[in-house]
Amino acid sequence: MLLLLLWEQLFLVSFVGCLADLSFAWIFNEYPSFVQEDSRRFVSQETGHLYIAKVEPSDVGNYSCVVTSRASRSPVLGSPTPLVLRTDGVMGEYEPKIEVQFPETLAAAKGSTVKLECFALGNPVPQINWRRTDGLPFPSKIKLRKSNGMIEIPNFQQEDAGLYECITENSRGKNIARGRLTYYAKPHWVQPIQDVEVAVEDTLYWDCRASGKPKPSYRWLRNGEQLAIEGRIQIENGALTISNLNLTDSGRYQCIAENKHGVISSSAELRVVASAPDFSKSPMKKLIQVQIGSTVDFECKPKAFPKAKCSWKKGGEQLQENERISLLKDGGLRVANVTKGDAGTYTCLATNQFGTARGSTSLVVTEPTRITLAPSNLDVTVGESVVLPCQVQHDPLLDISFTWYFNGSRTDFQRDASHFEKVGGSASGDLMIRNIQLKHSGKYVCMVKTEVDSVASAADLIVRGSPGPPEHVRVDEITDTTAQISWQEGIDNHSPVTTYTIQARTPFSVGWQRATTVPDVIDGRTFTSTVVDLNPWVEYEFRVVATNKIGGGEPSLPSEKVRTEEAVPEIPPSEVSGGGGSRSELVITWDPVPEELQNGEGFGYVVAFRPSGTSTWIQTVVTSPDTPRYVFRNESILPFSPYEVKVGVYNNKGEGPFSAVATVFSAEEEPSTAPSGVSATSLSSSAIQVSWTAIPWKMSNGRLLGYEVRYWNKGQKEESSSRVKAAGNETSIKITGLRSNLDYYTAVRAYNSAGAGPFSATVNATTKKPPPSQPPGNVVWNVTDSRVVLSWEEVRAMDNESEVTGYKVLYRTSSQGGVEVLTTAGTTAELWLQLQDDYLIEVRATTEGGDGSSSQQILIPRLASMDARGSGPSVLTIFSFSSFLATIFSLTLNSVLC
């Protein structure tokens, strides 16, 4: 039943809750509205009680206890209990009253989680804090929960034990609850016992150790019965000792460790054995190889129970201890400062009361291995090749191996074959290093091994190379033409830096260019310099290259991009010129100033001009930096008049210089008269000649460039006429590529840079008929000494072809390219030739319309003092040696027949 004492809007002492080792919660009014714990409300997991330090009107209602079994996880809901406010009294403020506190002494197991609860009633609501009385701070694993109403210590250890305080405090006072946490631990094994096999008559020592708090006690059982302590059986601190073992001591033993918190046990088997010596499980070494002067140990460890006594022989001689020979306690034999005379067979004789056994080892004594030529320290340059020697003297009975180590790692000759190679033959382990790189600097060790010894020798290899890139290049200060550059030194690769070079790059440069610096030569101990002669208002990047006596190294990373300050432009435009244009125009041209020389924003041009002989300049501004010309138009400008012109530059910082003064002529006046005396004459079936009389022209009007001739045929329109030009003072032109037997019309006009004048009157001419398409046929030739007589059939023109007016004979030697021509009116011709070479001859008809088709080419071979005749072959493309013989045969036959 709930015992309740309430005051109006004041305090609730406690609800008596459900009592069990369970988890507890409280429902307010109805499920699932659980009471939320805070500094004013607390649910104890020890008692199940709900505590409300100060009642508020919102606390009025029905409360139900919810109990959950940790095993079944099934919740059980208690009956509701009402909470009401009384109005018949008032309670004032008071100091904290601790209602929930932990025991004065609490034992905690090792590794457990300890939870201490502390909650107080009071007005105002008390604040809760925790501390250790020894002043030690709480470790990070300790957590304060439930508004400090509970402290939780996980994985409890001995150092967590001590006196803990819960301090509750409000404005009216404070109260403290104290409790001591003590540490305990169940026994756990530190050294459990293991199965053991011991020889008869030996002593057994069986260590059994456990830890715990309090310290555990020990007892022993054998075959399930308490082990009695007697003269040869003793137990001390858990350890069992049995001396002078006999076979009846064999059995199952159990060590039990216990304290008031728990009991543990460990079991093992003891076997007491007896046997004669036996080398089968632990045979002696067949062979031992040692070098002169060393110490050798022979083992003799037969299986024997009890332990066997050992004696040694070399060959048939019993060995006795002396200054070099020692009989060891474990039965072994040691021979110090070995000599060649110690070589031989050594026999161990092992004996106990159950029998005897023997084992033998052969000893081979060898000369020590010595390095006769060791590697030495070297100082080399990148790209060189060196050999590190490693030559030895060793006993011929022993196999030898060479191994090289580089900076502690074994050298892999297959993987590094491009640089490393072992040379020198079987008795040498010389190491060749080809094309040495910086990465090959370090310590090299030659290790020489045999079956009995090993020797090593080391050398340091220093590889010097060109320096690495400087670091952290930055621009510290920038002006219009200078930049202050600084950097940090990079790796010198074992060769001190002698000089530094600064390089610059802009959007307008071709790659990186060497910059001009102050000082001009930057020594290797200087890490700052001023770059000069920069262009204003240009974006720059800088990098630094270090140089030592080996050479120049890799450049540094570029600096950040920086722009120089603006300045007045210093470079005027180049190639100031002009001329041409239309009537009443003065055209002025120049090469624009490149962007990198404009020195700032707002760049433009100042164009100044004046008539020659005057003093006043006319100026205008061109604001586009890429503009290459300016045209001044004015009706007052006289044709082809000289002007003085100059072009200056400016930007936002001010005006720069003007270019040198140049003379430019104003635009010319186009010709005003047409050529006279124009005539057209037909030259052939595809060409006409047009002639005219030059127009009168004064130099004051400008320069006459020439004449333009237009032409068109009868079937074309004048607007679609073709045009050709005659340069300068020429007064005729040949028009080719025309169609045959067709009327062509033509007109001529003069032109200059200002334009063209009027056309002349139109004249016409008719092209000739085409020449005959039939070539001369049946060309026959006759040779007498140097006289060649040719004849051919007459060519007759068709109605649409030009009449034949004569013939051309074209001839040349086969070895010369020049062609000679003989004209004749008839169908025969006579040539006088020096027949020291072959001649090629062809014949064409000539007409007013041009030359007709050529006859087939004939060959007159080189002849020596004989008469010959022949006719042109039907086809002659290549004159081979076989055809030449056939021709000679034909000529000879004709001579005989004639």
Side-chain angles (χ1 to χ4, degrees):
M1 182 63 184
L2 176 67
L3 175 64
L4 182 64
L5 174 64
L6 292 175
W7 298 93
E8 182 180 7
Q9 299 182 10
L10 290 178
F11 307 99
L12 170 65
V13 175
S14 70
F15 281 120
V16 179
C18 312
L19 301 175
D21 187 13
L22 306 167
S23 66
F24 304 97
W26 285 81
I27 294 177
F28 178 58
N29 287 331
E30 61 182 14
Y31 182 82
S33 178
F34 287 91
V35 174
Q36 300 299 315
E37 296 181 78
D38 53 24
S39 62
R40 196 171 60 84
R41 291 169 293 194
F42 183 81
V43 177
S44 172
Q45 296 300 316
E46 296 293 332
T47 66
H49 292 358
L50 167 63
Y51 299 87
I52 302 177
K54 178 181 178 182
V55 176
E56 303 287 352
S58 60
D59 295 326
V60 174
N62 292 316
Y63 290 81
S64 302
C65 176
V66 180
V67 185
T68 303
S69 170
R70 291 190 177 95
S72 65
R73 302 277 183 187
S74 299
V76 177
L77 182 65
S79 58
T81 301
L83 172 63
V84 297
L85 292 179
R86 294 177 56 179
T87 59
D88 56 354
V90 177
M91 181 176 286
E93 295 182 351
Y94 67 96
E95 66 182 16
K97 179 183 179 183
I98 298 177
E99 291 292 332
V100 180
Q101 69 180 69
F102 47 95
E104 290 185 1
T105 301
L106 180 63
K110 175 183 178 181
S112 63
T113 297
V114 179
K115 297 179 181 179
L116 304 180
E117 293 184 338
C118 181
F119 190 77
L121 306 182
N123 185 19
V125 175
Q127 298 293 319
I128 302 174
N129 291 294
W130 294 80
R131 71 181 180 186
R132 289 180 57 135
T133 58
D134 57 9
L136 293 176
F138 288 150
S140 60
K141 70 177 182 177
I142 293 182
K143 307 297 181 186
L144 296 176
R145 306 192 186 281
K146 295 187 175 185
S147 300
N148 289 5
M150 184 181 73
I151 185 171
E152 181 178 304
I153 309 173
N155 190 25
F156 190 82
Q157 299 296 322
Q158 188 161 355
E159 61 267 20
D160 297 321
L163 187 61
Y164 287 76
E165 289 184 342
C166 169
I167 301 107
T168 62
E169 188 174 6
N170 64 11
S171 60
R172 303 298 297 176
K174 69 178 179 179
N175 205 347
I176 299 175
R178 295 181 178 87
R180 182 175 298 278
L181 290 180
T182 61
Y183 171 84
Y184 75 87
K186 298 178 182 180
H188 64 275
W189 288 116
V190 175
Q191 178 66 59
I193 60 175
Q194 305 289 336
D195 291 346
V196 66
E197 187 177 81
V198 186
V200 66
E201 299 180 0
D202 277 359
T203 297
L204 167 69
Y205 180 80
W206 226 342
D207 192 12
C208 176
R209 282 182 289 122
S211 67
K213 189 172 178 64
K215 184 177 180 181
S217 61
Y218 301 92
R219 52 194 175 92
W220 284 78
L221 304 180
R222 182 175 66 186
N223 297 330
E225 296 181 359
Q226 188 73 29
L227 185 63
I229 299 177
E230 50 159 322
R232 66 187 189 91
I233 300 176
Q234 298 294 324
I235 299 175
E236 184 177 356
N237 294 327
L240 172 63
T241 303
I242 304 176
S243 58
N244 195 24
L245 286 167
N246 56 59
L247 296 177
T248 61
D249 292 323
S250 297
R252 188 74 179 173
Y253 286 75
Q254 189 174 31
C255 176
I256 299 173
E258 57 188 331
N259 64 15
K260 64 180 180 178
H261 300 292
V263 178
I264 57 174
S265 65
S266 176
S267 298
E269 188 79 20
L270 170 62
R271 292 182 64 243
V272 180
V273 293
S275 67
D278 181 11
F279 283 99
S280 61
K281 298 294 179 65
S282 54
M284 295 177 61
K285 291 183 179 179
K286 297 295 183 184
L287 176 68
I288 296 179
Q289 290 180 317
V290 296
Q291 65 181 12
I292 294 175
S294 62
T295 297
V296 60
D297 287 343
F298 297 89
E299 285 189 351
C300 182
K301 294 181 178 180
K303 186 176 181 181
F305 301 100
K307 181 179 178 182
K309 294 182 179 179
C310 299
S311 61
W312 286 86
K313 289 184 177 182
K314 178 192 175 189
E317 179 185 353
Q318 189 75 29
L319 293 178
Q320 302 295 328
E321 285 192 300
N322 57 34
E323 67 276 4
R324 291 197 309 115
I325 298 176
S326 301
L327 299 177
L328 305 178
K329 291 182 179 180
D330 64 356
L333 173 69
R334 174 173 295 165
V335 180
N337 194 19
V338 173
T339 66
K340 281 283 188 178
D342 293 324
T345 300
Y346 289 77
T347 301
C348 173
L349 186 65
T351 303
N352 66 10
Q353 62 265 42
F354 300 105
T356 301
R358 68 184 61 209
S360 298
T361 298
S362 295
L363 177 65
V364 175
V365 181
T366 60
E367 295 287 342
T369 304
R370 296 193 305 273
I371 295 180
T372 58
L373 183 58
S376 58
N377 297 338
L378 289 177
D379 190 323
V380 297
T381 302
V382 167
E384 293 183 0
S385 297
V386 298
V387 174
L388 297 178
C390 186
Q391 299 179 14
V392 299
Q393 180 179 352
H394 66 96
D395 194 293
L397 296 177
L398 300 177
D399 293 329
I400 192 170
S401 64
F402 295 88
T403 306
W404 281 91
Y405 293 86
F406 172 50
N407 289 338
S409 298
R410 183 169 179 167
T411 302
D412 188 334
F413 287 94
Q414 290 185 343
R415 185 184 64 189
D416 299 325
S418 59
H419 292 288
F420 294 125
E421 182 183 357
K422 193 182 295 182
V423 296
S426 59
S428 173
D430 295 354
L431 173 65
M432 173 178 281
I433 310 175
R434 293 190 179 92
N435 189 22
I436 288 179
Q437 301 300 307
L438 292 171
K439 64 182 180 180
H440 295 138
S441 288
K443 180 178 288 295
Y444 289 81
V445 177
C446 176
M447 178 71 71
V448 186
K449 287 186 178 181
T450 66
E451 295 92 328
V452 299
D453 63 350
S454 64
V455 290
S457 182
D460 290 323
L461 181 64
I462 298 176
V463 181
R464 304 188 188 276
S466 55
E471 300 175 347
H472 307 299
V473 177
R474 67 175 186 271
V475 181
D476 296 324
E477 184 179 344
I478 192 79
T479 68
D480 56 346
T481 59
T482 66
Q484 185 75 25
I485 311 298
S486 64
W487 61 91
Q488 295 178 9
E489 61 181 330
I491 300 172
D492 65 6
N493 292 327
H494 308 295
S495 180
V497 175
T498 55
T499 59
Y500 289 100
T501 302
I502 299 179
Q503 298 176 343
R505 179 173 67 180
T506 73
F508 316 106
S509 64
V510 180
W512 291 91
Q513 305 293 326
R514 178 168 180 171
T516 303
T517 59
V518 176
D520 183 46
V521 178
I522 308 170
D523 67 52
R525 297 180 300 277
T526 301
F527 307 108
T528 182
S529 181
T530 300
V531 180
V532 298
D533 297 339
L534 302 178
N535 291 328
W537 200 241
V538 171
E539 192 175 67
Y540 280 90
E541 291 177 281
F542 299 96
R543 69 182 187 184
V544 181
V545 179
T547 302
N548 58 18
K549 67 178 183 179
I550 308 300
E554 296 181 10
S556 68
L557 293 175
S559 68
E560 292 185 356
K561 294 181 180 179
V562 293
R563 184 181 287 275
T564 50
E565 296 177 353
E566 293 182 281
V568 174
E570 298 178 348
I571 306 298
S574 60
E575 302 298 328
V576 176
S577 182
S582 301
R583 181 185 299 180
S584 302
E585 287 184 348
L586 174 63
V587 179
I588 303 172
T589 61
W590 61 88
D591 285 350
V593 175
E595 183 180 348
E596 64 267 28
L597 300 178
Q598 294 174 5
N599 291 8
E601 292 185 314
F603 183 84
Y605 302 97
V606 179
V607 181
F609 55 92
R610 65 186 179 187
S612 294
T614 64
S615 60
T616 303
W617 291 95
I618 302 171
Q619 290 190 351
T620 187
V621 172
V622 178
T623 59
S624 173
D626 299 324
T627 299
R629 69 197 303 265
Y630 170 72
V631 179
F632 176 67
R633 296 180 179 87
N634 194 294
E635 294 298 329
S636 64
I637 295 179
L638 299 176
F640 205 61
S641 298
Y643 280 78
E644 293 179 334
V645 300
K646 60 182 180 179
V647 182
V649 288
Y650 72 93
N651 62 16
N652 290 345
K653 299 293 287 185
E655 291 188 11
F658 277 91
S659 67
V661 176
T663 299
V664 175
F665 284 85
S666 61
E668 303 172 8
E669 187 176 21
E670 66 271 14
S672 58
T673 59
S676 60
V678 179
S679 63
T681 304
S682 177
L683 298 179
S684 67
S685 61
S686 61
I688 62 174
Q689 177 89 21
V690 180
S691 303
W692 60 89
T693 301
I695 65 171
W697 187 259
K698 297 179 181 178
M699 286 303 296
S700 60
N701 293 334
R703 292 182 293 271
L704 182 64
L705 298 181
Y707 296 89
E708 180 184 77
V709 180
R710 66 175 181 174
Y711 61 95
W712 66 98
N713 61 39
K714 188 174 182 180
Q716 293 176 322
K717 294 182 179 180
E718 185 176 351
E719 294 76 12
S720 61
S721 60
S722 301
R723 299 169 188 255
V724 293
K725 286 185 177 180
N729 297 323
E730 293 183 7
T731 56
S732 66
I733 191 169
K734 181 179 179 181
I735 303 174
T736 60
L738 306 179
R739 294 165 58 187
S740 61
N741 198 24
L742 193 62
D743 288 339
Y744 279 87
Y745 302 91
T746 181
V748 184
R749 65 177 178 180
Y751 71 93
N752 62 7
S753 61
F759 275 105
S760 68
T762 300
V763 296
N764 69 297
T766 302
T767 53
K768 306 290 186 181
K769 293 180 181 180
S773 57
Q774 176 189 356
N778 195 22
V779 179
V780 178
W781 54 271
N782 194 331
V783 177
T784 303
D785 294 330
S786 297
R787 177 171 171 266
V788 178
V789 178
L790 298 169
S791 64
W792 55 88
E793 292 180 351
E794 180 183 3
V795 176
R796 299 183 181 276
M798 301 178 68
D799 292 340
N800 61 346
E801 296 176 337
S802 294
E803 290 295 330
V804 175
T805 59
Y807 297 92
K808 287 182 180 177
V809 178
L810 294 86
Y811 59 97
R812 65 179 177 84
T813 64
S814 60
S815 61
Q816 294 179 351
V819 177
E820 297 186 60
V821 179
L822 172 68
T823 59
T824 179
T827 58
T828 60
E830 184 177 301
L831 300 175
W832 291 89
L833 304 176
Q834 298 296 323
L835 294 179
Q836 284 82 23
D837 203 349
D838 301 333
Y839 272 86
L840 299 174
I841 299 175
E842 60 185 47
V843 182
R844 299 176 186 171
T846 59
T847 69
E848 290 184 346
D851 291 348
S853 300
S854 294
S855 67
Q856 290 182 335
Q857 197 174 65
I858 62 173
L859 172 70
I860 299 180
R862 177 179 56 187
L863 299 175
S865 302
M866 66 164 56
D867 295 338
R869 65 178 61 182
S871 60
S874 58
V875 177
L876 180 62
T877 55
I878 300 175
F879 186 76
S880 65
F881 182 73
S882 59
S883 61
F884 176 76
L885 291 178
T887 303
I888 293 298
F889 176 78
S890 175
L891 293 175
T892 305
L893 182 60
N894 287 339
S895 300
V896 172
L897 294 176
C898 292

